[in-house]
Amino acid sequence: MKALYVLGPNQLKFCETEEPAFNEEQVLIKVQYSMMCSSDVKLIRGDFHGLKLPLIPGHEWSGVVAKAPEKYQYLVGKKVVVDILFPCQQCEQCRKSRRNLCENMNEIGVNLNGGYAEYVVADVKNVIPIPDSISLKDACLIEPLAVVYNAIQRVGIRPAEKVAILGSGVIGLLLVSLAKQMGATQIQVMDYIGDRLKIASSLGATATYDMNQGNLVEDYKKGWMPLPDVVFDATGSADAFNTALEIVKPGGRIGYIGYSAHEKVNIEPSMIMLKSITIYGVLSPTETWLQAIELIENKVIDTEKLITHEFPLEEYETVLNLMKERKDGIIRSVFKF
Ligand SMILES: [Zn+2]
Ligand SMILES: [Zn+2]
């Protein structure tokens, strides 16, 4: 099968390799679409927590079950996505139902091979069939949407609250759609990329701010918009956390959902006390896959605006460059197999 391996920092190898073997509790899935996440860009340069190399990356993908053991034959031919977390079920976190915090986590696309290949092996318990009405291309959005659903559950948005979203990549844009569903009366979105802000507006953002155009914190002070009750940091850049601390309304909440790898930043912790801010870390999809499927099936998410590009796996360098440079209107690109 064709596969793209990460061997070391910025060391990629596209090659023919053996189809992976599966055991009695696993199935072999033929990948149809696999999406490059911005966290994959960090992973490829070697900046990622828990990374084990060599690795076939890819955690946002979909496929069809190709082969299965006798007792799971009924799954063959089914359209599926795969819950990427394989927690141990035995550590304290697992036993306390916090499986995304498992101390011995195995995770597809981090230390288990993922969807940048023609085939992936997965435990049957992680395989989630999807309805026929969802295209396998759109199904690549189920994983990031499950993460965003987790964020909304953790941070909570109440009707009539004002929400700010820093960053309008796919996570930010999915947050816009769900914040609207939750009854937020203001959805303010900030980014450096004007095209993305236009998409944010079309999805329900009530105000957008181009970070190239001025000083956001100063403009809030001058009354650009009312301060948000909730700020989501979906930038993937550590600097933005200071902006979140500055702009959130006293008594407000911050959801940290963008992954900034090992980047560090100076903050003024006393602001958290003086403004009595609550900060939520949002890690991974949790038990939110079915909700994400339901939302896509019912067209709550405008998938067409989010998956903007499509390439064969061979053209991985092109996709990587587009993602790094955020060019050509890219939000997300899929590899089509
Ligand atoms: Zn992702
Ligand atoms: Zn565990």
Side-chain angles (χ1 to χ4, degrees), residues 239-271:
D239 289 343
F241 195 71
N242 268 321
T243 308
L245 287 174
E246 294 265 10
I247 67 174
V248 71
K249 187 186 290 182
R253 311 179 308 279
I254 296 175
Y256 181 80
I257 182 170
Y259 174 64
S260 52
H262 294 87
E263 260 185 81
K264 291 185 175 58
V265 70
N266 284 324
I267 63 163
E268 192 181 322
S270 50
M271 281 171 67

Side-chain angles (χ1 to χ4, degrees), residues 292-306:
I293 290 170
E294 177 87 11
L295 290 169
I296 291 182
E297 188 183 9
N298 288 285
K299 314 244 178 282
V300 174
I301 304 300
D302 189 341
T303 54
E304 257 174 45
K305 289 185 175 143
L306 304 178

Side-chain angles (χ1 to χ4, degrees), residues 32-35 59-63 79-81 130-146 170 174 289 292-310 332-336:
Q32 297 290 324
Y33 288 93
S34 191
M35 200 157 76
H59 57 273
E60 302 177 356
W61 58 277
S62 66
K79 290 163 73 170
V80 296
V81 289
I130 59 168
D132 272 339
S133 60
I134 299 182
S135 75
L136 283 162
K137 185 171 167 180
D138 288 352
C140 293
L141 285 165
I142 293 171
E143 193 274 344
L145 182 57
V170 87
L174 289 170
W289 289 80
I293 290 170
E294 177 87 11
L295 290 169
I296 291 182
E297 188 183 9
N298 288 285
K299 314 244 178 282
V300 174
I301 304 300
D302 189 341
T303 54
E304 257 174 45
K305 289 185 175 143
L306 304 178
I307 303 178
T308 51
H309 292 65
E310 184 178 312
R332 276 284 204 268
S333 179
V334 285
F335 296 118
K336 183 181 189 306

Side-chain angles (χ1 to χ4, degrees), residues 87-91 94 102-104:
C88 74
Q89 312 291 1
Q90 283 162 15
C91 71
C94 281
C102 171
E103 295 158 22
N104 315 298

Side-chain angles (χ1 to χ4, degrees), residues 14-240:
F14 178 75
C15 61
E16 273 292 327
T17 183
E18 292 282 295
E19 235 176 69
F22 57 97
N23 68 29
E24 282 303 297
E25 294 305 320
Q26 294 178 320
V27 293
L28 182 72
I29 300 163
K30 171 95 177 71
V31 177
Q32 297 290 324
Y33 288 93
S34 191
M35 200 157 76
M36 188 181 285
C37 175
S38 23
S39 71
D40 291 338
V41 178
K42 295 177 174 116
L43 183 152
I44 288 167
R45 66 168 193 247
D47 191 9
F48 208 85
H49 294 85
L51 181 60
K52 201 176 122 202
L53 300 176
L55 174 83
I56 302 174
H59 57 273
E60 302 177 356
W61 58 277
S62 66
V64 173
V65 176
K67 291 182 192 166
E70 194 72 34
K71 61 179 169 175
Y72 297 118
Q73 278 298 311
Y74 65 90
L75 286 170
V76 173
K78 290 256 187 307
K79 290 163 73 170
V80 296
V81 289
V82 171
D83 181 345
I84 56 172
L85 302 184
F86 294 70
C88 74
Q89 312 291 1
Q90 283 162 15
C91 71
E92 180 187 348
Q93 297 289 0
C94 281
R95 292 200 192 283
K96 289 182 174 166
S97 299
R98 295 190 290 249
R99 58 195 289 281
N100 60 334
L101 299 180
C102 171
E103 295 158 22
N104 315 298
M105 182 68 88
N106 284 315
E107 185 171 350
I108 286 187
V110 180
N111 63 355
L112 299 175
N113 285 336
Y116 289 15
E118 278 180 278
Y119 291 93
V120 177
V121 158
D123 293 6
V124 170
K125 63 178 164 49
N126 282 52
V127 172
I128 307 171
I130 59 168
D132 272 339
S133 60
I134 299 182
S135 75
L136 283 162
K137 185 171 167 180
D138 288 352
C140 293
L141 285 165
I142 293 171
E143 193 274 344
L145 182 57
V147 179
V148 168
Y149 196 99
N150 179 18
I152 299 280
Q153 266 187 335
R154 263 181 82 62
V155 180
I157 295 177
R158 298 159 202 142
E161 281 193 318
K162 298 174 182 70
V163 175
I165 298 164
L166 303 175
S168 54
V170 87
I171 295 289
L173 294 172
L174 289 170
L175 281 165
V176 170
S177 300
L178 290 201
K180 190 176 157 195
Q181 293 292 317
M182 299 302 287
T185 46
Q186 284 204 15
I187 305 172
Q188 308 158 355
V189 181
M190 300 77 181
D191 205 315
Y192 288 93
I193 304 166
D195 289 347
R196 290 189 176 181
L197 293 173
K198 281 186 203 135
I199 298 173
S201 299
S202 75
L203 294 174
T206 56
T208 59
Y209 190 95
D210 186 335
M211 299 291 282
N212 298 304
Q213 304 297 314
N215 181 317
L216 177 68
V217 175
E218 288 306 314
D219 284 340
Y220 265 112
K221 284 180 189 156
K222 288 182 204 151
W224 170 63
M225 283 283 148
L227 296 177
D229 303 284
V230 177
V231 179
F232 288 100
D233 178 353
T235 60
S237 164
D239 289 343

